[in-house]
Amino acid sequence: MIEIRNLTRLYDGKPAVDDVSLTVERGQIAALVGTSGSGKTTLLRMINRLVEPTSGQVLIDGQDTRGLAPHLLRRRIGYAIQGHGLFPHRSVAQNIATVPRLLGWSPDQIRDRVDELLSLFQMEPAAFRDRMPHDLSGGQQQRVGVARALAARPELLLMDEPFGALDPVIRAKAQADLRDIQRRLGTTLILVTHDMEEAVMLGDRIAVMDQGRLIQYAPPTEILTAPATPFVRDLIGLDQRPFHLLSLTPAFALATEGHATGPAIAREATLRDALAECLWSGRDALPVEGGGIITLEALRASAAPQARTAE
Ligand SMILES: Nc1ncnc2c1ncn2[C@@H]1O[C@H](COP(=O)(O)OP(=O)(O)OP(=O)(O)O)[C@@H](O)[C@H]1O
């Protein structure tokens, strides 16, 4: 569990981060969102002490990070940034092995871990181990960057706009893979993003920042349906709200008894995908793979839960 208590960082007497407190439970994902310059990166970097706090505390499983040497702290915390930051003259395997080597793992342990992570990220170890970063696509480099951050099984992973440079198709795949891997490994993850869609898709909770202050910290559904301030509402974008809500739920969760014709939608597709399919194919209901149907009426209710409550 990560506890951030009254964390403040001043630059030239002005707060970049202003008295922020929040807790991230073990195995959960917190997504930090906010306008440019709102203090997201500074907050993230205070957690692994790449930036020293002016005041306040960070506790990891109850341990105050001020009592630890910063370089030792950083070996316990994975860190992945936009543009991946791979060492250009080291192979994929050497890049991934960076922290395990610092920690004195044996060559066998390191090789096994590198291969395990490459497989986890769907990169055939024999084909990728010895490649150099410049011989990889942007998406592959990004995956190696995240694999490197996870190599020493950190209890905490910090990510700063990790998918910012990827095109939309690869980005969606990278997000889904990350979610899957994070769930499997049980890693606690704090992620900075500009993209509300990404925050909604990945975050168990979303932290909204403005001018260094934490404005709201809540699960995505609450951020979307009960924004704490007009700033939060504007950040979500009113026109996007129903679609964000629909993208939170998999198709099978809304499946009911009934009959529908035409191609079925995958169980793990989102309700947003289901709505798109209804509109595109002109159907009022879709079969769901494995059983049940989704109706356009149910999709409407899910897209605007407060409208339903108001009735
Ligand atoms: N090293 C520094 N020296 C002086 N001011 C800084 C420094 N680092 C950050 N700041 C200031 O602190 C504020 C918060 O910056 P930060 O990078 O944390 O914001 P951000 O929300 O991550 O922004 P972005 O989304 O644009 O990356 C900004 O006003 C920035 O100019």
Side-chain angles (χ1 to χ4, degrees):
M1 181 168 86
I2 313 303
E3 293 168 83
I4 293 172
R5 293 190 186 158
N6 306 106
L7 212 54
T8 294
R9 170 71 200 203
L10 302 178
Y11 286 114
D12 304 324
K14 282 200 295 209
V17 171
D18 191 358
D19 197 25
V20 168
S21 298
L22 60 86
T23 299
V24 187
E25 299 293 338
R26 183 185 281 268
Q28 298 268 295
I29 302 182
L32 307 183
V33 299
T35 44
S36 184
S38 56
K40 306 179 294 293
T41 295
T42 305
L43 178 61
L44 195 76
R45 289 180 170 204
M46 284 195 281
I47 297 170
N48 64 2
R49 289 180 58 195
L50 279 171
V51 170
E52 288 293 341
T54 305
S55 59
Q57 284 174 288
V58 178
L59 284 81
I60 301 182
D61 290 334
Q63 187 179 27
D64 191 332
T65 54
R66 290 176 305 185
L68 300 166
H71 71 286
L72 296 180
L73 177 69
R74 286 198 281 276
R75 288 180 196 171
R76 285 174 51 189
I77 300 177
Y79 184 52
I81 54 172
Q82 177 165 3
H84 57 77
L86 296 179
F87 301 116
H89 303 301
R90 293 195 197 156
S91 68
V92 164
Q94 287 166 337
N95 265 286
I96 296 176
T98 305
V99 178
R101 254 206 332 265
L102 287 171
L103 293 173
W105 291 22
S106 73
D108 281 354
Q109 278 179 309
I110 291 179
R111 196 166 335 110
D112 287 352
R113 182 63 175 155
V114 166
D115 287 0
E116 182 189 352
L117 281 163
L118 284 173
S119 304
L120 201 59
F121 283 88
Q122 292 160 25
M123 300 170 78
E124 172 58 39
F128 285 98
R129 219 189 266 132
D130 299 321
R131 303 255 294 259
M132 300 304 282
H134 59 79
D135 294 333
L136 303 176
S137 73
Q140 290 164 344
Q141 289 175 2
Q142 195 60 42
R143 274 181 275 165
V144 173
V146 180
R148 182 178 63 176
L150 288 169
R153 300 191 181 85
E155 55 220 294
L156 173 62
L157 175 60
L158 307 178
M159 302 181 98
D160 197 344
E161 297 274 1
F163 309 124
L166 301 181
D167 72 59
V169 174
I170 296 175
R171 189 181 172 117
K173 170 89 174 77
Q175 289 165 344
D177 286 351
L178 175 71
R179 177 98 214 179
D180 195 39
I181 288 166
Q182 181 271 342
R183 285 283 181 251
R184 226 182 301 168
L185 303 180
T187 315
T188 309
L189 171 59
I190 305 180
L191 168 97
V192 166
T193 177
H194 266 101
D195 178 1
M196 188 53 93
E197 178 92 33
E198 184 165 283
V200 166
M201 182 188 163
L202 291 176
D204 294 298
R205 295 176 83 92
I206 297 177
V208 182
M209 294 189 63
D210 183 27
Q211 297 177 40
R213 299 194 71 95
L214 181 64
I215 307 297
Q216 189 171 11
Y217 183 49
T221 313
E222 193 175 322
I223 298 270
L224 293 169
T225 55
T229 66
F231 173 81
V232 179
R233 208 183 49 212
D234 290 347
L235 198 69
I236 300 162
L238 285 187
D239 54 339
Q240 292 303 312
R241 229 166 13 169
F243 305 112
H244 288 323
L245 274 170
L246 288 174
S247 63
L248 279 170
T249 312
F252 69 83
L254 202 68
T256 52
E257 294 284 308
H259 178 70
T261 53
I265 187 143
R267 285 172 59 74
E268 302 297 336
T270 67
L271 297 186
R272 183 178 183 150
D273 300 328
L275 176 66
E277 183 55 29
C278 278
L279 296 177
W280 190 250
S281 62
R283 289 183 282 170
D284 290 331
L286 309 173
V288 179
E289 271 175 11
I293 64 163
I294 284 187
T295 64
L296 197 51
E297 196 183 349
L299 288 168
R300 277 184 55 186
S302 297
Q306 75 294 349
R308 196 176 33 176
T309 327
E311 275 167 14

